[in-house]
Amino acid sequence: MPENDAPRWPSDDKDTSSAEPKGTKGGSEATVWLPMTGLANGKTEELSVPKVTPESGSWFQPVVEVEEEPDVPETPTPQWSAFEPATPVEQPKEPEAPKTVFVQPVQPRQTDKPDWDQFDHGAEPPRPEPPKPEPRPEPPRRPEQSRVEQPRPAPVPSATMHARPVRIEPAEERFDSEATVGIQRPEPPSQEPPAAETEAAPAPKPKRKRKALLITTLVVVLLLAGMGGAAAMPKVSNRLGLPWAPNAPKGDIPKPAGVTRVLHGPDINGAGPTKEGLSAALAGPAGAADLGTLTGTVVDAASGEVLWDKNSGTPLTPASTTKILVVAAALLSMEHGTQFSTKIVQGAEPGTVVLVAGGDPSLTALPLGTDSPLYPGAAHVDDLVAQVKKAVGGKVSKVQLDISLFKGPTAAKGWDPEDTTAGNTYMAPVLPVMADGGRTDPKNDHSPRVANPAAALTQKIAGKLEAQAGGTTTAPKDAKVLGEVKSQPLTEFANSLLQLSDNLMADVLARQVALAKGAEPSFTGGAAATMDVLKQAGFDLTGVQINDGSGLSDQNKIPAKVLSEILAVAAAPDGKDPRTPKLRPLLAGLPVAGGSGTLEKRYGDPASSAGRGWVRGKTGTLSGVNTLAGVVLDTDGRMLVFALMSSGSDQNKGRAALDVVAATLHKCGCR
């Protein structure tokens, strides 16, 4: 910094602008002439300011007075001029007073640190070395492209301008002085934002807090409003037991009383219907023309008394009510927990296994964990395959089939040939092993049956074992068992049979009865064994003739009284008949009117709707044949056993007429 910070003013007002030629150097200082345009009379003035280069320091702000030079020709404004040309002003005729003009040259970018010692007032500035030729620098950018437009100066009234001394200071240091009062000093641009702006940045936080509080309050209000609205709804208020609930107690809550629940069976002590009363009640329904030829009987289960009878000893085609005889024979001849086994054993050749049929047509191909909707509790093919894989390590090359358990033909006498053709929905060939009763869809009772269900199952198992199906064979005696699955117990097996009226299961069960009695497991052997078991149990089978266990044969003949007698024993009071415990599960498998099995879609007509839920019976249908046998409770809770057989009737009309008769039994006190 100079020792004396007071500005040095010229000793007099002598004009030195013309002392030296333009652009020359005097001593150690160089003078640069800057043109000024826009003065009076359109003349151009040149101002002298100390020349300061980028190498020696930054540019400064001189304050000069310009004195008019006469007869100076107009010169065009150079392209590098730092001043915006002013609009020429018409020169007045009379000279005007001089006016001071403030000039602010464009400041070029400082690249090197200036040597401030050369401006020390007390020291002599060093003599500059002779200039060396240097590449001509690029001309500076036009001021119009880089600077901010300054306000246009007012017209200069005077033609005389005087240069004033300028105080020169470094850009980094500033000093106040009266000599520089009124000069606008540009401030270098700051790289950092003002502190006030930095501190004001977090100002919005209180607004966010207020906004969050407002939203929370609004949510709480909405929740309370919603809860209040919900509580006002009758269902909600009833559920919560609110005081304004429609079902709220209108008085004091009574004291709790002890309750004993007892499941009562049919009435066996009261007076039952009379024969006269029942005959009068059935006169109309039983005489309907839609029934064709009707035979039947009604028995009081508690007393065993026959209350109504119409040619019940006449044998007629029973259709599917034949299954009552087969199930009764199975329940009487086998343990109720009996299960039918399916095995895979080691074959005679290495890598060969044999599927040994055990008489279970309910084996299901559904995945493990998925119960069969048709045969609840059935065994799974996947379970059998998993056991084999574990036993042999998964190394199986061939799967053979042993179906030697059953004998004789696969179709019975009296069957319609269409009943066993591939694609029918009634029956599959009677073989001792198959999946899902030979159905193509394990979940649909009415899906088509395959032509050879045993071979189809063998192929399925071979595929799961990554082996080939090797045809039929007989398994070696005492062969090693690699896998075994078992059917549901006999009572559940019989329940599925009766609910679905499953023809295949009935014929398989007849063969199981034959095996249990040591007879040949065939149609003939199964029919003979069934009748033998029933006769040995004390039932009168006069007029009975059966050729199968399913009732598909139109050559079967059974009197209605045989059906009613078997059912009456099954429905008898406990302890009255020793056969009753064995036959009781027969009643559990009977379909419920309007609720399950083959009666699910019946009893919808107004004439028979009274029997919905009260009638349980086994149906039978063939061409021109409609039968129904089961049990029903009358209005007094008395259990009545009935067997109705219609011949020569239309299928739909005959069924509806039989339903009316059974429903009448429920409505009747009949005394």
Side-chain angles (χ1 to χ4, degrees):
M1 174 179 176
E3 295 178 358
N4 183 11
D5 60 354
R8 295 182 180 182
W9 302 102
S11 59
D12 53 26
D13 294 333
K14 183 179 181 179
D15 185 5
T16 60
S17 60
S18 59
E20 293 181 14
K22 299 178 183 179
T24 62
K25 295 184 180 179
S28 61
E29 293 182 349
T31 303
V32 177
W33 298 91
L34 303 179
M36 284 291 294
T37 60
L39 301 179
N41 299 324
K43 295 183 180 181
T44 301
E45 295 294 337
E46 294 181 349
L47 306 180
S48 61
V49 295
K51 180 179 181 181
V52 182
T53 63
E55 290 77 8
S56 60
S58 61
W59 292 89
F60 307 98
Q61 302 182 32
V63 180
V64 297
E65 292 183 358
V66 181
E67 194 173 38
E68 180 181 7
E69 290 184 9
D71 301 326
V72 178
E74 278 189 40
T75 56
T77 303
Q79 295 182 355
W80 50 267
S81 174
F83 303 94
E84 181 73 20
T87 304
V89 180
E90 183 177 356
Q91 185 72 13
K93 295 180 181 181
E94 296 296 331
E96 298 180 2
K99 186 174 184 179
T100 301
V101 178
F102 294 90
V103 181
Q104 182 175 353
V106 177
Q107 298 182 6
R109 184 178 60 182
Q110 178 178 344
T111 58
D112 298 326
K113 183 176 181 182
D115 185 8
W116 300 108
D117 295 337
Q118 62 177 319
F119 300 103
D120 194 345
H121 297 288
E124 181 180 355
R127 295 179 179 274
E129 296 180 1
K132 297 180 181 181
E134 295 180 1
R136 184 177 181 180
E138 295 180 4
R141 292 183 301 176
R142 293 180 60 86
E144 293 81 5
Q145 299 177 355
S146 59
R147 69 180 182 86
V148 179
E149 182 178 354
Q150 300 295 333
R152 189 180 302 276
V156 180
S158 176
T160 304
M161 299 184 67
H162 300 279
R164 297 179 61 186
V166 179
R167 179 180 178 184
I168 302 174
E169 296 178 354
E172 301 297 333
E173 301 183 38
R174 302 177 184 274
F175 303 92
D176 296 332
S177 174
E178 61 278 4
T180 58
V181 173
I183 301 177
Q184 183 178 0
R185 299 181 182 182
E187 294 292 335
S190 176
Q191 300 298 330
E192 297 181 359
E197 295 180 5
T198 305
E199 295 176 358
K205 289 186 178 180
K207 294 183 178 180
R208 293 180 182 177
K209 292 182 180 179
R210 290 196 298 271
K211 184 177 181 181
L213 180 61
L214 179 61
I215 294 175
T216 303
T217 304
L218 181 61
V219 171
V220 172
V221 171
L222 291 176
L223 288 176
L224 292 176
M227 294 173 62
M233 298 176 65
K235 290 184 178 180
V236 177
S237 59
N238 288 338
R239 187 77 172 179
L240 298 178
L242 299 176
W244 56 83
N247 64 353
K250 304 303 185 217
D252 296 336
I253 300 177
K255 294 181 179 181
V259 177
T260 302
R261 294 183 177 183
V262 179
L263 183 62
H264 295 284
D267 182 20
I268 59 176
N269 298 320
T274 63
K275 295 182 179 180
E276 293 76 9
L278 191 59
S279 296
L282 294 179
D290 291 337
L291 291 172
T293 300
L294 176 67
T295 65
T297 182
V298 177
V299 179
D300 184 351
S303 63
E305 181 183 5
V306 177
L307 301 177
W308 179 83
D309 185 281
K310 185 176 183 179
N311 301 322
S312 63
T314 303
L316 292 178
T317 302
S320 284
T321 51
T322 303
K323 296 178 176 70
I324 292 177
L325 275 64
V326 175
V327 171
L331 292 173
L332 290 169
S333 62
M334 292 185 283
E335 294 295 331
H336 290 180
T338 301
Q339 294 175 282
F340 309 125
S341 174
T342 302
K343 302 177 183 179
I344 292 181
V345 301
Q346 186 68 53
E349 300 176 0
T352 301
V353 297
V354 181
L355 173 62
V356 181
D360 178 17
S362 67
L363 185 69
T364 182
L366 290 172
L368 282 173
T370 303
D371 200 14
S372 171
L374 305 180
Y375 307 129
H380 285 77
V381 175
D382 285 349
D383 185 10
L384 183 61
V385 171
Q387 294 180 41
V388 174
K389 287 183 177 180
K390 183 177 180 180
V392 302
K395 299 178 181 179
V396 177
S397 59
K398 184 186 296 184
V399 179
Q400 295 179 311
L401 175 64
D402 183 354
I403 53 174
S404 59
L405 181 65
F406 289 173
K407 308 298 181 182
T410 59
K413 183 174 67 173
W415 284 12
D416 189 328
E418 295 183 357
D419 291 342
T420 56
T421 57
N424 83 90
T425 60
Y426 299 105
M427 190 61 168
V430 182
L431 297 169
V433 68
M434 62 188 68
D436 302 296
R439 296 175 179 85
T440 55
D441 184 354
K443 296 183 178 181
N444 183 5
D445 179 33
H446 301 289
S447 64
R449 312 294 178 105
V450 298
N452 191 339
L457 175 59
T458 305
Q459 187 67 45
K460 184 184 295 292
I461 292 175
K464 292 179 179 292
L465 293 174
E466 298 181 356
Q468 295 181 349
T472 59
T473 188
T474 300
K477 188 177 181 180
D478 300 327
K480 179 183 178 180
V481 177
L482 303 177
E484 180 179 9
V485 293
K486 295 183 178 182
S487 71
Q488 61 270 60
L490 174 62
T491 52
E492 297 179 25
F493 189 97
N495 186 77
S496 297
L497 184 161
L498 293 170
Q499 286 286 325
L500 299 175
S501 192
D502 195 297
N503 297 317
L504 180 65
M505 294 186 76
D507 278 308
V508 169
L509 187 58
R511 282 168 167 76
Q512 294 288 0
V513 173
L515 289 170
K517 300 303 295 181
E520 181 184 67
S522 61
F523 282 109
T524 303
T530 298
M531 294 186 66
D532 289 343
V533 170
L534 294 176
K535 287 179 180 179
Q536 292 174 7
F539 294 104
D540 182 6
L541 301 183
T542 303
V544 175
Q545 180 182 348
I546 56 177
N547 296 280
D548 61 12
S550 61
L552 284 177
S553 176
D554 57 6
Q555 297 185 20
N556 291 349
K557 302 296 180 183
I558 299 177
K561 70 173 185 178
V562 174
L563 298 174
S564 65
E565 185 179 352
I566 294 173
L567 291 171
V569 173
D574 293 336
K576 184 178 181 179
D577 192 315
R579 300 170 295 179
T580 298
K582 279 280 191 177
L583 294 176
R584 185 79 82 191
L586 177 61
L587 301 180
L590 297 177
V592 178
S596 65
T598 55
L599 288 180
E600 181 179 5
K601 297 181 180 180
R602 290 171 61 169
Y603 288 81
D605 297 336
S608 61
S609 60
R612 291 176 63 88
W614 296 102
V615 176
R616 304 190 68 144
K618 180 67 196 77
T619 60
T621 303
L622 286 175
S623 297
V625 175
N626 291 284
T627 59
L628 181 65
V631 296
V632 61
L633 291 176
D634 67 4
T635 54
D636 296 327
R638 195 85 170 186
M639 179 171 285
L640 304 178
V641 177
F642 63 90
L644 305 171
M645 305 182 72
S646 170
S647 178
S649 59
D650 177 76
Q651 177 174 311
N652 294 328
K653 293 181 179 180
R655 285 178 176 178
L658 290 177
D659 293 345
V660 172
V661 174
T664 301
L665 294 176
H666 168 67
K667 296 185 296 182
C668 178
C670 303
R671 293 193 179 88

